[in-house]
Amino acid sequence: MAKTVQKITLSPSRDIPFNKLALSQSNVRHLKAGVSIEDLAEDIARRGLLQSLNVRPVLDAQGAETGQFEIPAGGRRYRALERLVKQKRLSKTASIPCIVRDPKGEISAEEDSLAENVQRVALHPLDQFRAFKALRDQGAGEEEIAARFFVAPAVVKQRLRLAAVSEKLLEVYAQDGVTLEQLMAFTVTTDHARQEQVWEALQQSYDKEPYLIRRQLTESAVRGSDRRARFVGAEAYEAAGGVILRDLFEDDSGGWFEDVALLDRLATERLAAAAEKVAPEGWKWIEVAVDFRYGHMSHLRQLDGVTIELTPAEQVTFDALTAEQTKLEIEYEGADELPDEVDARLGEIEAALAAFENRPVRYEPTEIARAGVFVSIDADGRLDVDRGYVRPEDEPSIQASGEDPAEGETRQAGGTTSATSDMQRAVITIGGGESDGDDDSDDAIKPLPERLVGELTAHRTLALRDAVANNPQVAMTALLHKLCLDTFQHSAPGACLEASVRHVFFPAQAGDLKDSSSAQAVAERHEAWKAELPKDDDALWDWLATLDDTRRAALLAHCVSFGVNALYEKGDRYGGPGVSAHGVQHRIAQADRLARAVGLDMVEAGWRPTVDNYLGRVTKPRILEAVREAKGDQAAQLIDHLKKVEMATEAERLLDGTGWLPGPLRLVDNVDVSDTSTDTVEGLPAFLADGEEQDVAMDGVDPHPITAE
């Protein structure tokens, strides 16, 4: 006979007047936690009571109900209702929804109170983020949402920003695949594709710290504390269409200016405008740059000017400000903290006095006519106008007679004179080029993009690793070199042996890197060794001890190779935590030495220039330079009239098999970049030749068709 299932009977629900309710001493909550009673009362006043109170009848000595009820579960809601009654916003006899428990049941009031609090599951943060987003989508503003849930508007902004992260990453977070701190780091940008790209890259790294995520998401942006950003200003930058990445969870020092090209343009335009204001002073030249190289004035003579003294009126103002400053400092000398208005006034006085101290300098007109000015940005992001520098070629020559020029004349380079009454127009040079020149920027060979250099050196690093792993003698020399530096030049206390190899990852890499022959060779060798190595530490020691010298050297070379780093990266010129510019140069120099030792040849390693990995990423002059180096001037002339896309495609064909390499992949002492003869010039395919040809006589050989200009 089937056993009858006992049916569950739920406690009945009743509306009980508030004045019939009282708190129970069986309530297990005694410490304050969560939303305050005041905020809970306001929430109940707005939306009503969302959850009934759990009550039990109060019995008299004979066990009969008295009509009163005590509350073992729901005490905070009762306190909030009580507050509303005291404020006369709720009637004393208002009906309160309650679940009435049987006082004679097996379950005690304390157990009910404990169960209600312990079995409560807090809302997952992601559900909260999405709920806030849903409220905003329904038309509620951030301030309104904050008021409804008694949080600061900044908290609402943060949660809405978290809800706006890539849905793919949110799902990973929901499955505990990413921490809340990591998710917060991804909110720096709203670019979902970039967020996912960085997350995929992090899967190959053991380091997934939030600071690293922020750094990778903002690697192509400029910090708000950068002098260019402070000089231009966030308002002007955003007015020009620029986007500032903001971190709502940490102090971001003004965020990150995403469009670096726009920022540089705005900074240069503002500097150029400042130079135009300086030009009427009569200087011979004005150089404008966001940042001049170190020692740019070392070969120039600086004029000795005379600081212009204060006028009587300025002197009176200066003395009054100084006296006021002294008075305030004496008055508040013993104060722990200055009043806001006093602190602000002292700041104003200091700024005014600083302006008086930075007095203009007067130079002789004859000196101004041969000297120049540097216009730039100082370390604090302010305009820096540095006047009075004379180039060696502009120094006056000594006249044979030893006579000075007549008054009102200036001596020019070469000893000629001209009247200063005709004010000369200063030649303004911006970033190395005259502002009013006729130079065609398309014809200038510009530096390679930094990311492209990073990708090229990633190819070289991987090839160098493979070469080092195949040359145990060089690997042992490199390791011994590193150990000697650590032993004799640095202090390395701590572990038994702190020699280590840190696997270097590639933050910038081309799409074809993983498919290169070097990558495949490294991976195959790694898996072969991995299959042989014992997993246990002691067993590994015993296994290594039994290896013969040849295999021991091969394994050492393989391990050492993973520490090879020939990557180019932008050096930190301001003493930050990153590698310095000098450090990068030193790294590349050591990589060249290592490459020579192993006889690295990037052509043999399988690299060749293509549209995707180089030619489509550089300017037209760079493409023509590559073809000219590999095939000669006549080959370059075949394609110099083409558009960029067609030129890159045709250059790939012309360079195929020549062994040409871009600068970052060459050794510094390499002179010949190709063994291909430049005597033979190929013709363009018919579809690129525009249907026109010219005859070129070439030492008795048949003329080759080339495109007409």
Side-chain angles (χ1 to χ4, degrees):
M1 182 183 226
K3 184 177 180 180
T4 303
V5 178
Q6 182 68 35
K7 301 294 184 182
I8 298 174
T9 302
L10 299 178
S11 300
S13 175
R14 289 175 53 185
D15 287 342
I16 301 174
F18 177 80
N19 58 0
K20 299 293 185 181
L21 301 173
L23 282 178
S24 170
Q25 296 303 313
S26 301
N27 194 310
V28 299
R29 184 189 291 274
H30 298 289
L31 302 177
K32 293 183 179 180
V35 178
S36 69
I37 297 298
E38 293 79 5
D39 290 344
L40 181 57
E42 293 301 322
D43 190 70
I44 293 174
R46 179 180 176 273
R47 74 181 81 251
L49 195 63
L50 297 180
Q51 185 178 356
S52 301
L53 304 182
N54 185 298
V55 303
R56 292 180 178 236
V58 177
L59 306 180
D60 59 16
Q62 288 73 35
E65 295 187 10
T66 62
Q68 297 291 322
F69 297 84
E70 61 179 3
I71 308 168
R76 296 183 70 254
R77 278 162 280 158
Y78 174 80
R79 289 295 190 194
L81 293 169
E82 183 181 46
R83 179 179 177 84
L84 294 175
V85 170
K86 290 180 178 179
Q87 294 175 346
K88 300 189 182 302
R89 299 167 67 186
L90 182 69
S91 171
K92 291 182 180 180
T93 59
S95 297
I96 309 300
C98 301
I99 301 296
V100 183
R101 302 280 286 169
D102 183 359
K104 300 178 181 179
E106 297 180 359
I107 299 176
S108 67
E110 288 82 0
E111 185 175 344
D112 278 351
S113 177
L114 182 62
E116 182 188 60
N117 290 282
V118 171
Q119 295 182 11
R120 180 184 304 165
V121 178
L123 192 65
H124 191 283
L126 181 56
D127 291 328
Q128 185 183 118
F129 307 155
R130 287 170 169 166
F132 273 44
K133 182 177 182 296
L135 291 176
R136 188 186 61 182
D137 293 342
Q138 292 170 9
E142 295 170 355
E143 298 282 348
E144 183 180 355
I145 296 174
R148 289 182 186 179
F149 293 94
F150 310 102
V151 296
V155 173
V156 177
K157 292 179 184 292
Q158 290 174 341
R159 294 172 184 174
L160 290 174
R161 181 70 70 86
L162 286 164
V165 172
S166 164
E167 194 61 35
K168 179 179 178 180
L169 288 176
L170 291 180
E171 291 303 324
V172 175
Y173 172 59
Q175 299 169 14
D176 297 328
V178 58
T179 66
L180 179 59
E181 288 74 18
Q182 290 171 328
L183 190 69
M184 288 158 56
F186 279 105
T187 65
V188 168
T189 179
T190 57
D191 186 343
H192 289 180
R194 181 61 180 150
Q195 290 172 349
E196 294 170 7
Q197 181 185 28
V198 169
W199 177 246
E200 290 298 330
L202 287 174
Q203 303 312 300
Q204 310 301 322
S205 172
Y206 67 90
D207 190 356
K208 300 182 178 67
E209 291 297 320
Y211 80 89
L212 181 62
I213 296 173
R214 288 185 176 90
R215 187 172 69 186
Q216 293 198 21
L217 288 171
T218 59
E219 63 179 355
S220 60
V222 170
R223 291 298 301 252
S225 55
D226 184 274
R227 63 170 123 190
R228 291 168 293 175
R230 297 168 69 179
F231 180 64
V232 172
E235 185 176 347
Y237 170 77
E238 290 180 316
V243 176
I244 299 179
L245 305 178
R246 298 286 189 182
D247 190 342
L248 299 184
F249 300 92
E250 290 188 0
D251 179 19
D252 59 12
S253 300
W256 293 266
F257 288 55
E258 191 173 32
D259 193 337
V260 181
L262 174 62
L263 180 62
D264 283 336
R265 178 173 65 80
L266 294 175
T268 303
E269 289 175 353
R270 187 175 173 189
L271 288 172
E276 292 291 346
K277 294 180 180 179
V278 175
E281 297 176 10
W283 302 98
K284 183 175 183 179
W285 52 265
I286 300 175
E287 284 197 14
V288 177
V290 172
D291 184 27
F292 290 106
R293 63 177 176 81
Y294 175 76
H296 66 285
M297 300 177 295
S298 59
H299 64 294
L300 306 179
R301 176 173 65 89
Q302 187 172 10
L303 300 180
D304 294 326
V306 178
T307 302
I308 300 177
E309 297 180 356
L310 297 176
T311 65
E314 289 174 333
Q315 186 65 53
V316 170
T317 304
F318 179 84
D319 293 341
L321 289 172
T322 304
E324 183 181 359
Q325 182 185 46
T326 303
K327 178 183 176 182
L328 289 174
E329 289 176 347
I330 294 174
E331 183 177 353
Y332 293 95
E333 183 177 6
D336 294 333
E337 187 175 352
L338 294 175
D340 291 342
E341 62 277 8
V342 175
D343 188 44
R345 179 54 185 163
L346 283 173
E348 294 173 358
I349 294 174
E350 289 176 1
L353 292 176
F356 279 115
E357 292 175 1
N358 188 21
R359 300 292 297 163
V361 178
R362 183 175 62 249
Y363 301 97
E364 292 296 330
T366 54
E367 295 280 22
I368 290 177
R370 66 170 63 96
V373 181
F374 293 102
V375 178
S376 186
I377 307 172
D378 68 12
D380 296 323
R382 295 173 298 198
L383 178 66
D384 183 21
V385 180
D386 207 356
R387 297 173 171 84
Y389 292 89
V390 182
R391 294 167 173 164
E393 62 268 25
D394 294 330
E395 291 288 0
S397 60
I398 301 176
Q399 292 181 333
S401 62
E403 297 178 355
D404 292 333
E407 184 178 354
E409 296 182 338
T410 60
R411 191 186 309 277
Q412 305 296 325
T416 62
T417 60
S418 64
T420 58
S421 57
D422 297 331
M423 182 70 71
Q424 66 177 354
R425 168 64 179 174
V427 178
I428 300 177
T429 305
I430 300 177
E434 292 185 15
S435 60
D436 55 353
D438 296 328
D439 292 340
D440 184 358
S441 59
D442 290 338
D443 294 334
I445 296 179
K446 301 177 181 178
L448 293 176
E450 290 182 352
R451 183 171 182 84
L452 175 58
V453 176
E455 292 179 3
L456 292 174
T457 52
H459 267 288
R460 188 185 189 215
T461 299
L462 202 54
L464 194 54
R465 287 181 183 178
D466 187 36
V468 169
N470 286 307
N471 197 321
Q473 183 176 0
V474 172
M476 194 170 297
T477 301
L479 177 59
L480 188 57
H481 176 265
K482 170 67 167 60
L483 294 177
C484 286
L485 291 177
D486 289 346
T487 303
F488 299 104
Q489 298 185 23
H490 302 283
S491 175
C496 172
L497 179 63
E498 290 198 356
S500 63
V501 173
R502 182 175 64 87
H503 193 150
V504 180
F505 295 92
F506 307 132
Q509 54 180 277
D512 61 345
L513 182 65
K514 64 180 181 300
D515 299 323
S516 65
S517 58
S518 301
Q520 294 173 1
V522 170
E524 290 173 3
R525 183 170 51 252
H526 189 74
E527 290 303 318
W529 279 115
K530 186 177 180 180
E532 285 194 61
L533 262 63
K535 303 296 186 295
D536 180 71
D537 189 21
D538 291 335
L540 176 61
W541 179 277
D542 295 336
W543 184 81
L544 290 172
T546 61
L547 284 181
D548 59 54
D549 290 343
T550 301
R551 282 173 51 76
R552 185 193 300 266
L555 179 57
L556 172 67
H558 175 71
C559 294
V560 169
S561 71
F562 276 87
V564 171
N565 184 0
L567 293 172
Y568 169 83
E569 60 184 291
K570 186 175 183 180
D572 189 342
R573 296 181 301 164
Y574 304 107
V579 62
S580 66
H582 174 73
V584 175
Q585 293 175 355
H586 187 62
R587 172 196 297 172
I588 299 301
Q590 286 193 340
D592 285 336
R593 181 178 59 205
L594 190 60
R596 286 191 294 272
V598 298
L600 176 66
D601 187 337
M602 288 302 298
V603 177
E604 292 182 2
W607 193 92
R608 69 182 188 88
T610 66
V611 173
D612 292 333
N613 69 11
Y614 183 83
L615 299 169
R617 310 274 298 282
V618 298
T619 60
K620 292 173 65 175
R622 280 280 183 186
I623 300 174
L624 294 174
E625 179 190 52
V627 174
R628 187 176 296 110
E629 288 180 352
K631 304 286 287 187
D633 288 334
Q634 291 179 330
Q637 290 171 6
L638 287 172
I639 62 174
D640 62 2
H641 69 291
L642 298 177
K643 293 183 178 179
K644 169 72 177 293
V645 175
E646 296 172 345
M647 180 184 290
T649 302
E650 187 57 17
E652 179 177 340
R653 184 182 71 85
L654 291 172
L655 293 174
D656 187 32
T658 64
W660 180 88
L661 294 172
L665 298 186
R666 305 178 191 176
L667 288 177
V668 293
D669 53 359
N670 275 3
V671 177
D672 297 329
V673 298
S674 172
D675 295 330
T676 304
S677 172
T678 59
D679 293 336
T680 301
V681 181
E682 299 179 21
L684 283 178
F687 75 94
L688 290 177
D690 295 336
E692 302 181 31
E693 298 181 350
Q694 289 182 342
D695 294 333
V696 180
M698 298 180 61
D699 298 329
V701 299
D702 293 335
H704 294 272
I706 64 174
T707 56
E709 295 182 353

